[in-house]
């Protein structure tokens, strides 16, 4: 059965998704082409089931243990690893991740190529200049994409996390990522979260990562 109750109310998730879709449409995604990745960080397994129940096909996980533990919940969904990735977590995650979004250094490329050959990956770019968010330097993006391709990985796009800043700053950071995606002739641009959704769509994202915008405030 679908989850019920205040935290797991599928109808509430459906309403929030509709609001997010309206925001995205007003910002330029009138055709509904932007993929919504439901981020379940801080929520229980009910969030995975709720995302599937409202028609979403992609789940984003920040923590390796959560992704592995929840891999049996709604197994038909595509699972994206979007958190800071430690190299020692690659082997246990291999086989459970459909898209590795946070590949930001050569060592991760080598580990993923070893334990998950041919994997689908995205290179994370540091567009915020905040070390805590991860990502390779914009100037190093092309070489890391090339190394991943040479290692046999399927590089489908770039990912970035903007700073918590004024709209003009965030828009410039998103524009930087979009420009790199275009320059490298990649398919996907993963940028935008619950707090900067409209700006990301305006700047050309193809994939947004939504947590609280779908599931409400995260439990403390």
């Amino acid at each position: 059965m679908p989850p019920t109750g205040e935290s797991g109310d599928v109808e509430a998730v459906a309403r929030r998704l509709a609001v997010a879709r309206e925001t995205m449409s007003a910002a330029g995604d009138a055709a509904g082409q932007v993929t919504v990745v439901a981020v379940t960080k801080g929520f229980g397994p009910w969030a995975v089931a709720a995302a599937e129940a409202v028609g979403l096909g992609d789940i984003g996980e920040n923590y390796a243990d959560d992704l592995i533990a929840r891999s049996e919940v709604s197994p038909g969904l595509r699972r994206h690893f979007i958190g800071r990735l430690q190299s020692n977590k690659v082997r246990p995650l291999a086989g459970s991740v459909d898209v590795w979004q946070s590949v930001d250094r050569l060592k991760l490329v080598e580990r993923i190529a070893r334990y998950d050959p041919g994997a689908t990956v995205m290179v994370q770019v540091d567009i915020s200049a905040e070390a805590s968010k991860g990502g390779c330097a914009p100037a190093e993006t092309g070489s890391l994409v090339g190394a991943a391709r040479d290692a046999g990985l399927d590089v489908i796009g770039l990912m970035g996390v903007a700073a918590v800043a004024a709209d003009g700053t965030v828009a410039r950071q998103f524009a930087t990522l979009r420009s790199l995606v275009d320059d490298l002739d990649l398919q996907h641009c993963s940028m935008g979260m619950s707090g900067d959704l409209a700006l990301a769509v305006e700047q050309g994202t193809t994939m947004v990562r939504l947590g609280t915008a779908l599931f409400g405030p995260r439990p403390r």
Side-chain angles (χ1 to χ4, degrees), residues 32-186:
Q33 296 299 304
V34 174
T35 299
V36 173
V37 178
V39 178
T40 60
K41 174 185 175 182
F43 301 104
W46 68 264
V48 179
E52 182 179 43
V54 300
L56 296 177
D58 296 80
I59 295 295
E61 296 283 6
N62 289 73
Y63 304 122
D65 291 345
D66 284 349
L67 190 148
I68 293 168
R70 298 172 184 177
S71 61
E72 297 303 317
V73 180
S74 302
L77 299 178
R78 287 179 295 276
R79 281 168 165 80
H80 301 242
F81 190 84
I82 61 174
R84 297 292 299 273
L85 181 58
Q86 298 173 300
S87 59
N88 66 349
K89 294 294 186 179
V90 171
R91 186 175 185 178
L93 280 168
S96 297
V97 177
D98 295 296
V99 183
W100 304 79
Q101 283 208 28
S102 50
V103 179
D104 62 359
R105 57 195 185 277
L106 183 59
K107 186 173 183 179
L108 289 178
V109 166
E110 294 170 343
R111 296 282 289 186
I112 294 170
R114 178 179 179 184
Y115 293 111
D116 195 9
T120 299
V121 304
M122 304 182 80
V123 167
Q124 182 177 355
V125 183
D126 179 12
I127 56 174
S128 69
E130 296 177 6
S132 62
K133 288 183 167 62
C136 69
E140 298 172 358
T141 305
S143 61
L144 189 56
V145 167
R149 285 171 167 164
D150 290 344
L153 301 179
D154 180 18
V155 185
I156 62 169
L158 305 179
M159 185 267 265
V161 182
V164 178
D167 285 358
T169 297
V170 173
R172 287 193 294 274
Q173 292 171 358
F174 284 158
T176 294
L177 190 68
R178 181 68 241 190
S179 179
L180 286 168
V181 168
D182 293 338
D183 290 345
L184 294 168
D185 195 25
L186 294 168

